[in-house]
């Protein structure tokens, strides 16, 4: 079992920056990848960025060069930060932290945090 607690998000003007954080707890040694998805009303969740335990990163094309994901896996901790720069109105969505376990059999979601970018 893995629990995810998100923080950050909020309202920002276009061109501004926000930072999202996600802290995992529970069976940390089972986590293979930790990252962020986002969802607009009526649409499926889409990957924004994720980082694997061996530090491989994956980004949506729409955020490359603007967003950066970093991992902290020091002793007894496992968390990720998503630094979002040069935000655009189309980045407005609910952002969810997501954990994938080794073997891909299980995954876990955070409760979601709203990001609103005003144009």
């Amino acid at each position: 079992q893995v629990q995810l607690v998100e923080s950050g998000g909020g309202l920002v003007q276009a061109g501004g920056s926000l930072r999202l954080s996600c802290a995992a707890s529970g069976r940390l040694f089972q986590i293979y990848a930790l990252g962020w998805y986002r969802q607009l009303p009526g649409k499926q969740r889409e990957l924004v960025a994720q980082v694997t335990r061996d530090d491989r990163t994956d980004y949506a094309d729409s955020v490359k060069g603007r967003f950066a994901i970093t991992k902290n896996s020091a002793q007894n901790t496992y968390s990720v930060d998503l630094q979002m720069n040069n935000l655009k109105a189309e980045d407005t969505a609910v952002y969810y932290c997501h954990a994938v376990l080794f073997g891909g059999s299980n995954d876990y979601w955070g409760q979601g945090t709203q990001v609103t970018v005003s144009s």
Side-chain angles (χ1 to χ4, degrees):
Q1 192 82 349
V2 172
Q3 296 80 37
L4 302 173
V5 177
E6 303 152 342
S7 60
L11 174 65
V12 66
Q13 288 188 333
S17 298
L18 282 174
R19 189 177 188 88
L20 304 181
S21 297
C22 175
S25 61
R27 303 177 75 84
L28 301 181
F29 65 94
Q30 292 188 321
I31 296 175
Y32 168 69
L34 198 57
W36 290 91
Y37 280 67
R38 65 187 180 188
Q39 186 171 26
L40 278 70
K43 294 193 174 182
Q44 288 188 331
R45 290 182 189 180
E46 61 176 8
L47 175 69
V48 177
Q50 76 170 16
V51 56
T52 65
R53 185 172 285 273
D54 57 352
D55 293 322
R56 289 185 294 113
T57 57
D58 190 17
Y59 291 93
D61 287 342
S62 60
V63 307
K64 286 179 180 177
R66 300 188 297 122
F67 291 12
I69 190 167
T70 55
K71 173 174 67 70
N72 175 18
S73 56
Q75 187 175 8
N76 295 326
T77 64
Y78 206 116
S79 63
V80 289
D81 290 334
L82 183 67
Q83 179 65 39
M84 305 185 293
N85 298 325
N86 190 21
L87 282 160
K88 304 176 181 180
E90 51 264 42
D91 295 318
T92 296
V94 178
Y95 285 68
Y96 294 89
C97 185
H98 179 247
V100 178
L101 305 189
F102 282 102
S105 58
N106 282 19
D107 64 341
Y108 295 88
W109 295 93
Q111 77 278 8
T113 185
Q114 177 70 44
V115 171
T116 302
V117 184
S118 62
S119 56

